[in-house]
Amino acid sequence: MKDLEKEIQGIVLALRSEKKEHLAKIIEENWDKTLLEYSKNLHSYRTNQPLEDIFKKALSIELTRLGYDKKEVGSILKYAEKNRTLQTASHMSPGGKPRFFFINWLDSLSLSQKDFFLVAMFSGVPFSNKTRPGRLCKKDGDINLIPSSMQDELVYRSKITPKMVEVINNLPAKLKTLLPEAKERDSYTAWALKSSQSIESKFLHGKPVFFDFNEVASNYLLFAIENPKHSLSKIFFSKPERILTIKNFKEMVFFYGPVKKGKYKEMENFFLKDGYLESPSRKIQLTPKILAEELKNGLCPGLIVGFLIFSFLNHFQCSGSFAQVEYLPLYREKFATFPFLKKNKIKEASAESLTTGGFPFDVGLHPLDIHLGEKFTPDPNALFGEAMLAIKDVLLHQNYSMNLVRK
């Protein structure tokens, strides 16, 4: 225990020297809690802020897209109204990386069989992202489902290709039985979400519900911009609120979009300007009609828009990894000063819910590895500090927040 405490103190000091104050504070205050205790603390969060009707509609549309029936959607919404903790660390992946798997296991650990475990996966990345959103990941080598010509394309709204169907059909039976059927031209993200949920569910607590963070944000935006009085309408279409937003978030990416370059598609970042959105190759005029059309045609909401919707307008405690606990408090600090958002009580919103780490007995364990025969012996009574120590090198040596945090 004393050796662990010494190691943790070293990590905390190093993080503070890099100005990662939120991360350092959370680790320092929680290292000696068991993983089960830590999970219970996460799910003790409550808020009096009601869920907006348009958020309920937005989430309902996404759950329906994923095959949930009306009764199931109603049960999930009722649960979310009272239990506003949401896992937002994971990037979209059909068979994910070890750290995302550990995060889901840790977060769900204290849940009962009656509880839903809500996981909002982020699809606003290209297939070339280092989290490997187009691969079935495992220790002895990933299985790539995506043609090389698509590596720079946006995962969001992508379609299942003939190559992917062929690769899945040729998988060993042990893997193939874990995956939902893949049909050419169907939604890739819907398939990936169902695949990831199928692969991980056996090892998680509660009733896992994996959905697309960006799809819910897009659905919500379409409803929000119909109402000129809504906060997001003001940000995009009213000059005073828009200028204030640009002043505070001018270096932040507001949307991602597909763009064709030669024979191939790539993903571009869009920044908020006065009267338009701008990427390296496009300008999108900001009117409700044009923005709605762009959203319907694949413009993907970015982190700043998504977290405004989830964390600050609907007060979800968005549990995330080490980068998120640095940039989300910064977003909160800025949005809390906006006069037109005063009614949303943004200062009261949660922004420092850390879920990260690795299994101390095997930091490189993928969920697929267990299905393929690896032992899975997690200890709920292991200390949170042990899980931090397992990923010490990543915590200390990965420059993971500079592209998201702007002081």
Side-chain angles (χ1 to χ4, degrees), residues 168-184:
I168 291 167
N169 287 340
N170 290 324
L171 287 173
K174 195 178 274 190
L175 289 181
K176 198 173 172 183
T177 54
L178 293 170
L179 307 175
E181 186 182 1
K183 294 181 183 176
E184 192 178 332

Side-chain angles (χ1 to χ4, degrees), residues 103 134 136 165 187 250 258 268 274 293 311 331 396:
I103 285 168
L136 293 165
V165 175
S187 165
K250 63 182 176 183
E268 282 195 339
D274 190 18
E293 281 303 309
S311 293
Y331 292 1
L396 297 184

Side-chain angles (χ1 to χ4, degrees), residues 1-12 31-32:
M1 185 84 159
K2 287 206 170 180
D3 287 345
L4 177 61
E5 184 174 11
K6 189 177 177 181
E7 289 268 20
I8 292 297
Q9 284 172 349
I11 291 172
V12 167
W31 71 270
D32 58 349

Side-chain angles (χ1 to χ4, degrees), residues 182-200:
K183 294 181 183 176
E184 192 178 332
R185 300 300 301 163
D186 276 3
S187 165
Y188 172 75
T189 58
W191 180 88
L193 286 159
K194 290 172 192 172
S195 171
S196 194
Q197 186 169 314
S198 169
I199 290 167
E200 291 191 34

